[in-house]
Amino acid sequence: MIELLSRFLMSWEGMILWYFLAVNSFYAFLMLLSMPELWRNWKMAHSENLNRYMSSEALPPVSVLMPAYNMSAGLVDSVRAQLSLRYPRHEVIVINDGSKDATMTLLHAAFNLYEVPPAVSKQLRTQRVRGYLRSRHEPGLLVIDKENGGKADALNAGINAARYPLVVAVDADTILETDAILRLARTFLVGTPVIAAGGTIRVVNGCDVERARVLRPRVSRRFLSGVQVPEYLRAFLFGRLGWNRLGGNLIVSGAFGLFQRKYLLEIGGYQTDNVVEDMDLVVRLHRHMLEKGEEYRVAFVPDPVAWTEVPSDIATLKRQRERWHRGLVKTMLSHRKLMFNPRYGRVGMISYPFFFFGEMLAPVIEVSGYFFTFVGLLLGWLNWQFALAFLAVAVGYQMMLSVWAVVLEEATFRVYGSLADFSRMLLFALLEPFGYRQLTVIWRVQGVINALRGRKQWGEMQRRGFGAAADRPVTTN
Amino acid sequence: MSVAVLTALALIQSAFVFLLITTLLMSRWFRPLGSKLARERVDELSRELYRYLSGQIDLEVALDRLDDAKLSTILHALQDVAGHVKGGLWETLVTAARERPWFRIVLSRSGSRFWWRRLDAAHGLSVLARPSDEIRLLRLLGDAHAVVRLATVPSLRRVPSQTLVRAALDLADSGRTPIQHYVVETVSRLPGLNLASLRVRLAGGVDPRETRALLDLAACLGLPDLLPAVLDCLQHPVLEVRIGAVRALSRFPHQKVTKALVLALSDPEWQIRAQAATALGVIGARDAARPLFRLLNDHSWWVRLRSGVALRLIGEPGIQMLEGVRPSYDRFAADMARYVLGLDDGALGEFAGEDVVGYATSIPARVA
């Protein structure tokens, strides 16, 4: 019996090793693919004269959707910042998703709102809208006051009310660079027909912020928020760029994504029962376009930047990562028809299987690897040199990917100017595999378990706001 | 897999990480804030060019400053300044700049096999081109890379030859809708555009995308010579083109146009009715107040909205009609009237400036 168990353990360890090699080789492949893509984008961004587009009416007008739930801290500044974005023609739609705090009162006071009749074509079903309000001095602003239905429901209400052919979904706690939409929308001027485009999300914690504008990008001194800087860089600068090249980008971040409204209406908008509505939306868009047989592209553009507040305490980070993974599992399971289905092209044959095996199952396999290694070592079935070497390769690989993301950042955009910030970013990239990674893996496993149990809650998120409001925690859904 | 292989892998990875970190540190050392400095250099050079254009420094001094800079800096600075300045001094600068060695590099890049070099050439020529560059510009307009083609379009303002305009309109044919808008908008600003060729193209167009783009061009120009061709497009079999024609008509304030638009208010397609209502509002056609009022209880919400907006845009008679709508007449008409009367001027202006269907992406390439 013991012999059998020992054999099982050894073969499981071997399997994990091969799995690890396969997944990481694919990441290395994505990394290679991202290099020409990043360079091409950087070169275009670098040599472009954005003023030329600003003075042109060629760029399609954009509706900026800002769902807000209990976001009173910094919301007014955020709305003002969105209204002053550099773009030829845009409107801002704030959707108050049944906030229990002073969100509506603040908006009323700041923008002198008045109710207008509900003249909106309701093509997507949403929770009851209490009223549509316009500002007496900001003609580009529309506020929708509705009953609570979650972020996806709020976005659907915004899509209904949007007047323009492009919609940008922006979290109310996200800061857009002034030219972010201009840079994102220019993808509609070149290349194949773009139906959705996402930009880079960076970490705002630690940055110098004033009136919802990042004055000076900084890397937080606090470990938990600082370590997410290279993590975000890795996800965006080579993860999504690599997928761009492969043509199977499955994620456009919910915090900052541009979509053609027409297609959002065609697929019935956001799903309200998925806790990561952004990924589910993009997968459904892929399915819809592939089933229709129309040429399309979901693009990731690295130079438009949005800054987002990341969790700075363990409890909030845990809830966020658990929710992300729970949503990933739900999305993967509800679109299992895509798996190795040649009808869905690269999405069915490459992206979906990779996200299923390489992302969804990864934490489960990794945790089982830690567990069996520990048990094997304890019972003397496993050679400790082997375990040590295995650990060194795993940690070394993580480190290499994070440092590589820093290299890409430094070689192109170089957002963090000071040597101190650069050093901190590099240090966090080196420290990430020690402890932080293992914690996130455990939370992701909890996400798998909760998804299988059918849990649907979002969980409370502690937000601290930007700049001066940073010490005042705010709760959002 | 043996311990030795894993150890070797770990060692290779460590060496690679070490190499990456060394590269990063070296890069920090040798390229301190490269992009920030590059922007500062561009700003500095732009300032020098402005000083020349305001007569504070001589041409030779300005040219020396250009010669001392990197090509990318020169191109950025020239584009920055060219966007704001025109006239004799600028043309003198262009003539002299074309003799400098760096300009020869710009020209040679137009034939490069790398798109980013051709992009440099397109940017350079967009501010320094002369009629002698026509062949080069023609080649760049037909470039395989969309970014190069787009960057070449503004050169038309410097070399408005009919051959180039034709090539640009061909580019509009093959491009997506926003590209068409961009090209058409640039072409519409060209001096001395050959209207005859445009009329012929508009009348004989078989590609709906091209016809739609040309209608936008006709709308930008708003010249009476083009009106008959635009009116003819109201009979086009493709809906998108008919919408484009109705939209274009709002730029031709003429009695004939009002009649055609009032007729379009009873079109079976809601998009045409909505666009016609908008166009009548933009023109301010008071004669059309009664037919617009009738559309306030159209079955399409968009048509109701557009006719309400149009009634407000045409002024007093329209506003009185809106104020007089009672729920007993029609509940939906009354709702819409209340909404439109509540719109502020900004929102009203935005509604008036909008395309009914936005940027449609599904215009068929050929009429069946």
Side-chain angles (χ1 to χ4, degrees), chain A residues 1-205:
Chain A
M1 181 66 181
I2 288 174
E3 176 66 18
L4 208 69
L5 267 174
S6 153
R7 272 194 188 174
F8 167 76
L9 194 129
M10 287 308 286
S11 53
W12 182 250
E13 285 288 324
M15 248 176 64
I16 289 174
L17 194 62
W18 283 111
Y19 169 86
F20 167 79
L21 278 176
V23 169
N24 285 330
S25 303
F26 194 85
Y27 274 122
F29 178 57
L30 280 181
M31 186 171 91
L32 287 175
L33 289 179
S34 72
M35 285 160 63
E37 193 72 9
L38 182 64
W39 189 83
R40 187 178 76 93
N41 276 287
W42 176 76
K43 187 72 192 165
M44 282 207 289
H46 186 68
S47 56
E48 230 167 15
N49 189 351
L50 289 173
N51 288 328
R52 188 171 286 166
Y53 295 143
M54 270 304 287
S55 62
S56 160
E57 284 182 8
L59 288 172
V62 168
S63 300
V64 180
L65 312 182
M66 289 177 72
Y69 175 73
N70 291 355
M71 291 294 298
S72 52
L75 178 67
V76 171
D77 280 346
S78 279
V79 175
R80 286 211 172 101
Q82 315 296 15
L83 283 165
S84 62
L85 287 175
R86 207 170 147 232
Y87 196 77
R89 199 146 52 115
H90 75 287
E91 65 172 354
V92 176
I93 301 176
V94 180
I95 308 110
N96 174 43
D97 190 30
S99 297
K100 291 170 191 148
D101 66 353
T103 297
M104 276 314 288
T105 317
L106 283 173
L107 286 170
H108 263 290
F111 298 104
N112 197 358
L113 300 177
Y114 67 99
E115 193 164 353
V116 291
V120 164
S121 153
K122 288 173 188 164
Q123 297 181 59
L124 303 173
R125 285 172 67 93
T126 64
Q127 290 292 326
R128 193 177 73 83
V129 174
R130 296 174 191 144
Y132 296 87
L133 301 103
R134 282 204 173 271
S135 162
R136 288 197 172 85
H137 49 80
E138 289 287 358
L141 176 67
L142 172 71
V143 176
I144 302 174
D145 185 19
K146 65 180 277 293
E147 285 172 5
N148 182 260
K151 187 181 165 188
D153 192 66
L155 284 167
N156 284 341
I159 294 167
N160 275 337
R163 291 190 303 198
Y164 294 141
L166 296 184
V167 291
V168 177
V170 180
D171 283 354
D173 56 349
T174 296
I175 298 175
L176 295 189
E177 294 267 304
T178 49
D179 57 4
I181 297 183
L182 189 60
R183 289 179 181 278
L184 202 55
R186 75 170 194 276
T187 50
F188 287 80
L189 278 176
V190 292
T192 45
V194 176
I195 58 163
T200 304
I201 309 285
R202 287 177 186 268
V203 176
V204 77
N205 306 45

Side-chain angles (χ1 to χ4, degrees), chain A residues 406-423:
Chain A
V406 177
V407 170
L408 290 181
E409 158 71 9
E410 281 289 298
T412 51
F413 304 109
R414 202 179 241 199
V415 165
Y416 303 101
S418 81
L419 189 65
D421 287 313
F422 162 74
S423 311

